[in-house]
Amino acid sequence: MSGRHRASGGAAIRLRVMAMSVRYAVWLVPWGTLLAACAVGLAFCAAEWWLVLRFHTAGAVTWMTQAGFIPLAAAAAFLLSDPMRSLTASLPVPSRWGTAVRVGFAGAPVAASTWFQLHLAARLIARIRADGALVPPLPRTALTVQCAAFVAVALAASAVVARGRWSDLGGAAAAPAALAAIGAVAIAPIRRAVAVLATVTPPRAIEIGHHLAWPHLAARWSAVGLVAVVLAGWEQRDPWHRYRLTVLVQPRRRCR
Amino acid sequence: MTAQVGRSPRGATARRRTARHGAELSGAATRRRVVLLAARSEAVRMCRSPLLSAGTAVAAGLIWWNSRDTVPQWWLWDVQIGSSLLAVAGAVLLAAHLAAGRVRRDGAAHLYRSYPTAAPARTAAHLLSVVGPLLVSLVLVGAAVAWLQAHGAVGAPRAQVLGQGLLLVTLAGALGVALGTWLPGPMAGILALVVLGAVEVALVRPISAPVRMPGGTVWLFPWTQPAELRWLPGPTAMLPPASHLVWLAALTVAAALVAAARYLRARRPARVTLAAAVALVCVVAAGWSGWQQTRYPSDRTLTALVDEATRPARNQRCETRERVQYCAYPGYESNVDRWATVVDGVLSLTPQVPVRTLVVRQVTLVDPLFGLGFSYRPTTRRQRATLARLQEQVNDYMIRLPRDPGLVPGSGTPPVYVGTGWGGGSAAGTDEIHLALNTAWWVVGLPTVGAGDPMTQAWGAPGAGHSCLAVHQAREAVALWLATVAAPHGQTYLQDALSNPRIVQYQGAPVEAYYSPLAQYSQATIGFTRQGFALAAAMRGLTRQRVEAALAARWSYWRGPRATMPELAAALGIQLPPVPAPGRAPAPGGIVAPGTGGVAVTTEPEVVACR
């Protein structure tokens, strides 16, 4: 058999395995968790309507819309855990393929829930404005970017945990870590940090630092989301690689 | 028939009964021992959990962060410690949920069923294991109390409020075990944490929180932190209500019952009866405490709260130190030392202290009923009438405080007021300069509150009172010099005030003036001119001895309204510092709004010169 024929046969087998692994990847998606998270997110919307219309607190809309994204991020943290990781790692398909399939299938309900939440929030804002309240329109773009960043951070946390000693816990370990990271980014004084950094760096870096002083929510979360996506993608490399603490060991004794 | 001792049929029955009873006793003892050992093991595991470590670190960080630039008030901080413990409670909820659901999540239920100890014993062990995080929280609370006391906290911590904070941790643990027993999937605990966390963040946030619960229903949630606590002059029994402790305990027991109910079998009537009895006690306790918490405060409580704020002379203790009398609310004795440092600093620079006694009096500068409507709402006519009467009393006090120097009996002339708050560390500069200005104004005889003079209206703050302006008078510069030398940390605050000038009319000419509040959150202010500030800055550039000598030479003259700033500058041997023109002249009798570059002009009474 010629080399070209062997190569084309190998590619066909790989494609076939990839197609078969789709079914397994779909089975791995935590549908119950995702749907429960979407339900809780929608419950936040319902509570938002009640609070705003009952107590006339227009400031609750944006805040509760953002809070409604948190369950989605928590559910995303369960997405990349694979109880049979040791077996699936031996399949002749790139590890990123399974991840991409899972993210693709899970993305549909998450995107639908996000769109619905934003739609409800926008309608609520429109109703408040129609009643004469002076409130700004809903920043849909910024909030969409924020939700995407939340999910990306959760995916990155899930990917990192899958390689560590708590891989058996999966999302139970990744979700709290992701929520903590999201909270830290949300309250971090990024502008102040960049301003401080700019005062101790060379003039060229100062110029760059000023450009990096993003005042807008969308810019901050865009950057965070991008970093998280890169990290999650990088974590899909060699599936056999595991993180472990480096332990000081005694020097090996030479055999005499 | 051979007689066999101890071998009769009746003896065999008795022996069997004894053996069975002994087996049961040893079985019960074994179960207890297994439960205790398992509880200890689970408690150690929970204490070693990264979740609990992170929660404890966050709580400790919150306590440190919020206390770093203030002198703590215990009636606020024992609630604040509870709010900080919410971080620990959230971590315990997650950790307990993961622990309780471990068996079913790992698919080991059949394996554990083969063990001699039944599932209820495991549940009991998980519930008891919450003692571990509780001890960690206790250590944290103890450290926080020591830390705050070291910072000179005002008042004393209330054990029942600190106990409520600790019960939050216990409640979270019991809730986590209950969730883990029924819903072992980790997402259940996380979703519970997200929902409860969102609710608590909304209730614990200060005034800007978007949620306002009706009546006293806010206390039906595990925790809340009323914003008005920081402005009260002392603790009040209604914030938080003591019955909240019983409420939390009832919720904790209820959560434990829910956890135990999963494995409760009808074949054990004794246990079912016990569970039912405990549930009944729980319901009664929860009902009583729920009713107590949502009840509108009594007239006596509200009247005491308002009297404490509006009649300070009746409720304060006064202490005299070297011709200065300090009158403070109970618990604020430690603040007297801080006030005395500033006051003595001003008086030590004065060549001749006035003969009359200086009275430094603590006053409440914020409506004590503010925020009451967030926690409680009157439902009967009598309650509404009482609230209206008390609100009128408070409003009268708030309006008269910056205007009537004789409002509080026993205060000096002019009165020297200080607020209930005091900054800590570098943040104390603002409070120090406020008190130093008040004292310096008293020293030179300038009024600190409007003594019946026509007032200028504060732009953007109708109803506020200003003192008069000592335009071109030397005593204004002297007072500013006394204040800024005695409170050097407050100079930054005055520099910031310079960025917010007001152009006022004086005898047909525009004058640039600045208004500094009597204290933080006070609507009353004292005003000074840019010229006076510039001369005081020039005086600070001279040696202290030189300035003191010049002042001492004609002290009674410099204190009077006739001494002018050019005369003072000449006496000091310096040029009167030039000040830039105050900008576009407003219309006659007009006041230019600050920050507008002289664009907006409103018609106001002309500023009054101090006499």
Side-chain angles (χ1 to χ4, degrees), chain B residues 60-124:
Chain B
L62 285 172
I63 292 170
W64 169 78
W65 179 261
N66 288 317
S67 66
R68 72 193 191 289
D69 59 357
T70 183
V71 173
Q73 297 160 311
W74 267 121
W75 51 93
L76 166 66
W77 267 94
D78 44 22
V79 178
Q80 182 108 26
I81 289 175
S83 303
S84 305
L85 283 176
L86 285 173
V88 180
V92 169
L93 188 152
L94 270 186
H97 176 263
L98 288 175
R102 188 188 310 127
V103 170
R104 288 173 65 194
R105 203 169 49 244
D106 293 346
H110 289 286
L111 173 65
Y112 276 79
R113 210 171 288 160
S114 65
Y115 288 177
T117 308
R122 284 202 307 278
T123 304

Side-chain angles (χ1 to χ4, degrees), chain A residues 241-255:
Chain A
H241 180 69
R242 277 281 191 271
Y243 292 131
R244 62 170 186 228
L245 288 174
T246 305
V247 180
L248 288 174
V249 297
Q250 288 185 353
R252 249 182 263 167
R253 292 182 185 170
R254 285 191 185 174
C255 299

Side-chain angles (χ1 to χ4, degrees), chain B residues 377-514:
Chain B
R377 193 163 295 170
T379 51
T380 67
R381 190 183 299 179
R382 188 181 61 80
Q383 288 171 351
R384 281 191 285 269
T386 303
L387 182 62
R389 174 178 58 82
L390 293 174
Q391 189 69 66
E392 193 179 334
Q393 180 180 338
V394 170
N395 291 345
D396 178 68
Y397 169 82
M398 288 294 166
I399 289 172
R400 290 176 58 196
L401 184 66
R403 292 174 170 77
D404 182 2
L407 175 66
V408 182
S411 300
T413 306
V416 175
Y417 294 142
V418 62
T420 52
W422 196 267
S426 58
T430 307
D431 298 294
E432 289 173 354
I433 195 64
H434 286 144
L435 179 58
L437 284 170
N438 274 266
T439 308
W441 250 242
W442 176 88
V443 164
V444 301
L446 284 169
T448 55
V449 297
D453 291 333
M455 292 298 169
T456 56
Q457 282 288 60
W459 178 79
H466 298 287
S467 65
C468 53
L469 268 184
V471 184
H472 303 315
Q473 294 181 23
R475 53 181 176 167
E476 182 190 271
V478 171
L480 284 168
W481 176 78
L482 290 173
T484 51
V485 172
H489 299 300
Q491 289 181 24
T492 312
Y493 169 78
L494 284 186
Q495 288 290 343
D496 292 341
L498 289 180
S499 62
N500 194 23
R502 295 192 49 214
I503 312 298
V504 299
Q505 284 278 343
Y506 176 69
Q507 295 180 348
V511 174
E512 199 167 314
Y514 309 92

